[in-house]
Amino acid sequence: MSAILNTAGAVVSDHEARRTVRRERINAAIRYVLLGAVFLVMLYPMLWLVGSSFKSNSEIFTEIGFWPSKFNLGSYAKGWKTTSEYTFATYFLNSFAIIIPRIIVTVISCVLVAYAFARFEFHGKKILFGIMVGTMMLPTIILRLPQYLMFKELGWLDTYLPLIVPSAFATDTFFVFLLVQFLRGIPRDMEEAAQIDGCNPVQLLWYIIVPLLKPAIISVVVFQFIWTMNDFMGPLIYLSSVEKYPVSLALKMSIGATEEVEWASVIAISVVALVPSIVVFFLAQRHFIEGASSSGIKG
């Protein structure tokens, strides 16, 4: 009798295990189907953009699919030359002439300000931090007019200075807030040990804090690179010479230069303009994801 019960129990357990495995497989299949559908919906505009860069001007508006009937590289060559006397090589160099110094001053200023907020006690600290967080809510457009008038008085119009210098004063408050949150998550044990060994605050920042902040700093670099690369309004307001235009303005100029827009060329250069941001993201992907997902706590 006992043997029969044991056999029946084993059959029931085996049946239940099979049901559990089958249910997990069905759930996994549903998840993959949903993820695949969302992936296709989100990625289709990018696929369409890349595919359309190889189409002719007429095919772009007659075919909804992204795969071209014939691969045409002429739009890349034509778009690169532009209708002005400068090629897009000039405009890419102009973009990097803005992006690189802006990233450098942003990292330096934001790390210093975040270090002060996270590690030092001073009068009015909470009020100042609240004001800084409050400025994150201000629409950028309301600052454009006073900034324009100020830079005009300084004689900085038609130069890159209005696009770079403000970042040297930690005006990108989102980055300061991000770094402060990371610093608050870093234990102070190593800093206290370094202080006992005689490190001053500057040495603490350089030798202890900055290496621990590496994921957050890389996140700042990636965000600032992409945002500056895509910035259109800033260069449009402050730059008037075509030879100083970054890629964003040059793309707009190529659309409005003639009555009949060569959309194939515009789309082709748009694809090329995406390459630097994609390269930077994938180069920093490991640290960027670590910085975005962790609180900066190190063992």
Side-chain angles (χ1 to χ4, degrees):
M1 185 64 180
S2 175
I4 293 173
L5 289 175
N6 288 338
T7 303
V11 170
V12 171
S13 299
D14 185 57
H15 182 67
E16 185 64 28
R18 288 180 182 177
R19 286 183 58 187
T20 303
V21 170
R22 187 166 58 248
R23 188 164 54 246
E24 289 177 351
R25 286 178 179 175
I26 292 172
N27 290 336
I30 292 172
R31 282 199 301 272
Y32 282 116
V33 168
L34 290 175
L35 286 173
V38 173
F39 172 78
L40 286 176
V41 170
M42 295 184 67
L43 199 63
Y44 185 79
M46 179 67 73
L47 295 175
W48 185 90
L49 187 74
V50 175
S52 297
S53 66
F54 296 104
K55 294 179 179 178
S56 64
N57 220 29
S58 58
E59 189 182 1
I60 290 173
F61 297 103
T62 54
E63 298 291 337
I64 192 170
F66 65 87
W67 195 259
S69 59
K70 186 176 69 174
F71 283 88
N72 177 22
L73 293 174
S75 55
Y76 280 89
K78 190 174 181 179
W80 186 264
K81 290 179 182 177
T82 76
T83 55
S84 68
E85 57 184 310
Y86 306 101
T87 67
F88 261 91
T90 301
Y91 301 130
F92 272 100
L93 290 175
N94 292 341
S95 290
F96 293 134
I98 299 170
I99 291 170
I100 294 173
R102 187 172 183 183
I103 287 176
I104 293 172
V105 297
T106 298
V107 169
I108 294 173
S109 62
C110 291
V111 167
L112 288 173
V113 174
Y115 181 50
F117 274 125
R119 289 295 188 262
F120 295 95
E121 296 297 331
F122 51 89
H123 185 69
K125 173 184 169 180
K126 291 184 178 179
I127 296 175
L128 290 174
F129 188 75
I131 293 172
M132 187 204 72
V133 173
T135 59
M136 292 169 57
M137 313 301 170
L138 287 176
T140 308
I141 193 67
I142 67 172
L143 301 175
R144 292 294 187 190
L145 181 57
Q147 284 181 338
Y148 179 85
L149 295 175
M150 181 178 67
F151 294 137
K152 183 181 178 182
E153 291 298 320
L154 293 172
W156 288 2
L157 296 184
D158 202 25
T159 70
Y160 295 149
L161 293 175
L163 304 172
I164 299 171
V165 173
S167 295
F169 297 93
T171 54
D172 301 289
T173 51
F174 170 74
F175 297 141
V176 177
F177 180 75
L178 178 72
L179 293 169
V180 168
Q181 296 306 109
F182 268 79
L183 278 168
R184 285 176 175 172
I186 296 176
R188 301 193 182 200
D189 299 352
M190 294 179 65
E191 296 170 58
E192 291 170 355
Q195 281 179 313
I196 292 172
D197 290 339
C199 280
N200 58 42
V202 177
Q203 291 171 321
L204 281 177
L205 175 64
W206 182 250
Y207 293 110
I208 306 296
I209 298 297
V210 170
L212 293 175
L213 270 179
K214 186 179 175 182
I217 291 174
I218 290 176
S219 299
V220 171
V221 171
V222 173
F223 276 125
Q224 188 66 291
F225 185 95
I226 295 174
W227 291 350
T228 307
M229 190 77 189
N230 295 333
D231 185 22
F232 176 77
M233 191 59 71
L236 179 66
I237 292 173
Y238 299 119
L239 298 178
S240 55
S241 301
V242 175
E243 68 267 23
K244 296 178 182 177
Y245 278 8
V247 172
S248 55
L249 282 189
L251 277 172
K252 175 62 179 68
M253 185 177 64
S254 63
I255 293 175
T258 58
E259 293 181 359
E260 185 178 355
V261 179
E262 288 286 343
W263 286 107
S265 302
V266 174
I267 292 173
I269 297 303
S270 299
V271 173
V272 176
L274 288 174
V275 172
S277 298
I278 294 173
V279 170
V280 168
F281 175 78
F282 280 104
L283 286 177
Q285 183 184 20
R286 184 169 62 86
H287 297 290
F288 176 73
I289 292 175
E290 181 184 351
S293 60
S294 72
S295 60
I297 297 175
K298 303 296 178 183

